[in-house]
Amino acid sequence: MPQRPEPVLLANVGKPDSWTLRVYEQTGGYQALRKAVKEMTPVQVIDVVKASGLRGRGGAGFPTGLKWTFLPKDHPGPIYMCINADESEPGTFNNRILMEDDPHQVIEGIILSCYATRATTAYLYLRYEYPLCWDRLQAAIDECYAKNYLGKNILGSDFSLDIFLHRGAAAYICGEETGLIESLEGKRAWPRIKPPFPAVEGAFRKPTVVNNIETVACVKHIVGRGADWFKSMGVPPDPTNPRDAGSYGPKLYCLSGHVNRPGCYEAPLGITCRELIDEFGGGVWKGRKGKAAIPGGISMGLLAEQEFDTPLDFNALGKVGCMGLGTAAVVVMDESTSMVDFLYNSCRFFQHESCGQCTPCREGTAWSLRMLERIRHGNGRLRDLDLLLEIGDTIGIIPGTTICGLADGAAWPIKNAIRKFREEFENYIKNTNPTGYMVTEPVPALVQLAAH
Ligand SMILES: Cc1cc2nc3c(=O)[nH]c(=O)nc-3n(C[C@H](O)[C@H](O)[C@H](O)COP(=O)(O)O)c2cc1C
Ligand code: SF4
C-alpha cells in the first residue's frame, strides 16, 4: 500500500475544541494571513495561487488564480466574494466537515482570498440544513473581529473586510453560482444567462468572485506553505489533452454507499476509485463485489466496476465517459444494486430540482422520470431506452441548450447508466413487460375515439 501524505486540510478534525481560535492558533493558525498582509501584495497572492495550479473544488474545476484575474482592473468597488457553502450535490459532505470542525481554516482562506481580489465584503452562503456550521462559523467570525483578523485595517494594514453569513434557500439550484447570487439578493434562485459572468457583473451588479469552501481552505495552505508544496501532490497536465491544466494538491474525497468505512478522506488528487474504496473505505461491504460507483456526485455519471482503476482527477474521468471529478463524492454500489432503481432515483432528484426556466431541462427531466416510472412499474418498452438517450444527449450546457449545468448533471447518469448497463435495462423491460416490450400503446383517449 503506498505511503500517503499526512492530512493537511483535515489535520485539526477530531481534536478537542478544534473549532475554537485558541486551538487553531496553537497549530499556526492565522500565520499565513500575517505573512500575506505584512510581506505580500495582493498581486503576489494571486501569483502564488496561480503558480500552485489550484483548481476550484466546487465542481467545475476552474483554475482559481485565473478566475481572480477576470475581475476588472481599477474598479472603484465594491468587489464581493461569495463563498459557496450550499453543498447540495448528493453524497457530498466535505464542506460541512471543514466548517463544523475547522471553521477558522475556512475563514483564514476567505480573508486571504479577499485580500488577493481586493474584496471588502464576503458573503458565506450556507446550506440551510447545516445549523451546526452556522453556529460554529458565527462564533469563529466573532472571535476574528475581536482579534482584528476581520474588520477595519486588519492587523494594522490598509485592508478591511467584513464577512456575513447568509442562510441558503434549501434548494440544489442555489449552489449554481448565479442562482446563488440571485438568492443572496433575495430573489428566486434562477440562474442567470452568462455572459456577463459574475467577475464582471455579479452580486448587486458588482464584480464578484464565487469560490467553494474547500477551494479557499486550500488557499490558506498555498499561501502558508508555497506553490511548490501544493504542486508536489497530484497529477501533471495530460499531454494528449491541451485543455487539461493538471490536477494538483490534496483533495477531500467523500466516500459513501456500500463500503465498510464510509467517510471523508484526504488524499492527493489522482488516487484511483479502487484505491479509495479499498485503502480508505475498507472495501465493498458484506464481502460483495462492486458493481458501479458515482465518481464525484451524481451529476458526474457512473463508473462501472471494470473502470474502478480510473484516477479520480480532473482529466481522467472524462476518458471513461463521465462528466468529470465534480465534488469528488464517491458513492459505491454493490453487485445487488438495481441500475433501474439507481436511474429512477437520479431522475427523480433532477426533476425535483430543475428550476424550470429552460424547456429542455424542465421537460427533459420530467419526461425521463415518467419513463423510468413506467419501466419500474412493468410497462417499459425497449424504445424508451433510446428516447432516454436522446434526452441525455440533447439537454445541458454542453450540447448548448440550457442556461446552467443542472441539465448536464441530469443527463450524465442517464447516458452512463444506459450505455454501460444496457443489457440490464433490456432484461428488466423484457422480464417485467413480456408481451408489451416492443409495443407502443396508443394513449387511452385515442383508444376510446376509435371505439365510436
Ligand atoms: C446545479 C449546480 C449546483 C451547484 N452546486 C454547488 C455547490 O453546492 N457548491 C459549490 O461550491 N459549487 C456548486 N456548483 C458550482 C458553482 O456554480 C461554481 O462553479 C463554484 O461554486 C465555483 O467555486 P470554485 O471555483 O471554488 O469551485 C454548482 C453548479 C451547478 C450547475
Ligand atoms: S438548466 Fe435547468 S436548472 Fe438550470 S436554469 Fe435551466 S431549467 Fe433551471
Side-chain angles (χ1 to χ4, degrees):
M1 205 179 284
Q3 187 72 24
R4 303 279 178 208
E6 283 292 303
V8 172
L9 296 165
L10 297 181
N12 285 340
V13 172
K15 288 184 184 166
D17 298 333
S18 62
W19 50 90
T20 60
L21 184 58
R22 177 180 57 80
V23 171
Y24 188 65
E25 285 183 326
Q26 278 167 6
T27 51
Y30 291 105
Q31 291 306 323
L33 176 64
R34 285 181 194 281
K35 174 175 147 184
V37 294
K38 293 202 179 343
E39 298 169 21
M40 298 171 81
T41 63
V43 173
Q44 284 172 321
V45 178
I46 294 180
D47 285 346
V48 74
V49 171
K50 267 172 127 175
S52 74
L54 172 64
R55 293 172 67 171
R57 297 329 199 205
F62 196 82
T64 305
L66 182 63
K67 186 192 273 190
W68 292 354
T69 61
F70 294 156
L71 289 166
K73 308 276 173 290
D74 306 322
H75 192 276
I79 290 171
Y80 293 120
M81 172 72 65
C82 289
I83 301 298
N84 194 339
D86 196 54
E87 195 165 64
S88 307
E89 182 70 29
T92 312
F93 48 88
N94 53 8
N95 288 184
R96 177 176 62 75
I97 288 171
L98 291 175
M99 291 184 285
E100 282 181 359
D101 285 1
D102 202 355
H104 281 288
Q105 177 184 206
V106 170
I107 292 170
E108 188 172 8
I110 297 173
I111 304 171
L112 286 164
S113 304
C114 290
Y115 180 70
T117 55
R118 300 172 195 271
T120 49
T121 304
Y123 296 101
L124 195 154
Y125 189 97
L126 180 64
R127 182 181 171 146
Y128 182 87
E129 296 87 348
Y130 281 179
L132 183 59
C133 294
W134 179 281
D135 293 345
R136 296 233 171 120
L137 282 165
Q138 190 56 61
I141 289 169
D142 294 344
E143 285 180 311
C144 284
Y145 275 106
K147 279 294 276 275
N148 192 220
Y149 295 144
L150 282 173
K152 295 254 173 290
N153 301 108
I154 291 172
L155 300 174
S157 69
D158 60 1
F159 167 55
S160 302
L161 175 68
D162 290 307
I163 300 183
F164 298 99
L165 289 187
H166 185 94
R167 205 183 289 277
Y172 179 60
I173 198 59
C174 296
E176 195 280 341
E177 57 186 4
T178 57
L180 181 153
I181 289 170
E182 288 282 300
S183 175
L184 179 73
E185 291 179 357
K187 291 177 261 173
R188 185 180 289 195
W190 274 1
R192 294 178 182 168
I193 293 173
K194 292 152 273 226
F197 288 93
V200 176
E201 198 178 296
F204 311 106
R205 305 284 158 189
K206 299 291 179 192
T208 301
V209 176
V210 183
N211 274 136
N212 171 262
I213 289 283
E214 189 186 339
T215 309
V216 292
C218 288
V219 168
K220 177 240 138 106
H221 294 290
I222 291 166
V223 174
R225 295 162 182 253
D228 290 343
W229 162 79
F230 197 77
K231 275 197 132 166
S232 69
M233 278 171 272
V235 184
D238 176 357
T240 66
N241 178 2
R243 299 182 63 183
D244 179 35
S247 304
Y248 293 110
K251 181 76 194 82
L252 298 182
Y253 292 95
C254 304
L255 183 61
S256 64
H258 299 163
V259 288
N260 287 312
R261 287 195 303 269
C264 176
Y265 299 109
E266 181 171 341
L269 272 166
I271 186 172
T272 68
C273 183
R274 199 180 301 284
E275 286 167 335
L276 186 72
I277 294 170
D278 291 343
E279 277 177 45
F280 290 91
V284 178
W285 72 358
K286 301 181 183 176
R288 295 186 189 152
K289 286 193 189 134
K291 178 172 181 177
I294 293 166
I298 201 167
S299 310
M300 297 298 124
L302 264 188
L303 284 174
E305 199 280 339
Q306 55 273 26
E307 296 164 337
F308 279 8
D309 292 311
T310 308
L312 298 170
D313 65 33
F314 290 111
N315 181 56
L317 286 157
K319 294 183 178 174
V320 289
C322 296
M323 181 144 74
L325 180 64
T327 60
V330 175
V331 184
V332 179
M333 286 165 263
D334 73 20
E335 57 193 336
S336 71
T337 311
S338 156
M339 286 298 117
V340 176
D341 287 348
F342 159 77
L343 192 56
Y344 166 73
N345 281 330
S346 172
C347 290
R348 201 166 56 135
F349 173 76
F350 287 108
Q351 187 274 337
H352 184 256
E353 299 297 341
S354 168
C355 84
Q357 282 188 99
C358 318
T359 307
C361 176
R362 184 185 64 243
E363 298 300 320
T365 54
W367 275 104
S368 56
L369 176 60
R370 279 203 204 179
M371 275 190 268
L372 259 301
E373 278 170 347
R374 194 164 63 209
I375 293 171
R376 271 181 102 229
H377 289 137
N379 297 316
R381 302 162 308 182
L382 289 182
R383 65 185 287 267
D384 289 340
L385 301 179
D386 292 323
L387 283 175
L388 281 163
L389 283 176
E390 192 183 328
I391 293 176
D393 288 336
T394 51
I395 64 172
I397 292 192
I398 293 174
T401 57
T402 61
I403 295 172
C404 92
L406 183 141
D408 298 270
W412 242 267
I414 297 175
K415 294 194 278 200
N416 283 179
I418 295 182
R419 294 213 166 98
K420 296 183 184 184
F421 295 92
R422 181 150 190 144
E423 203 181 331
E424 180 177 336
F425 280 91
E426 288 187 356
N427 287 339
Y428 185 94
I429 291 170
K430 287 178 186 169
N431 289 335
T432 54
N433 189 16
T435 53
Y437 65 87
M438 298 293 281
V439 181
T440 306
E441 299 286 352
V443 292
L446 291 182
V447 177
Q448 284 181 3
L449 204 66
H452 291 289

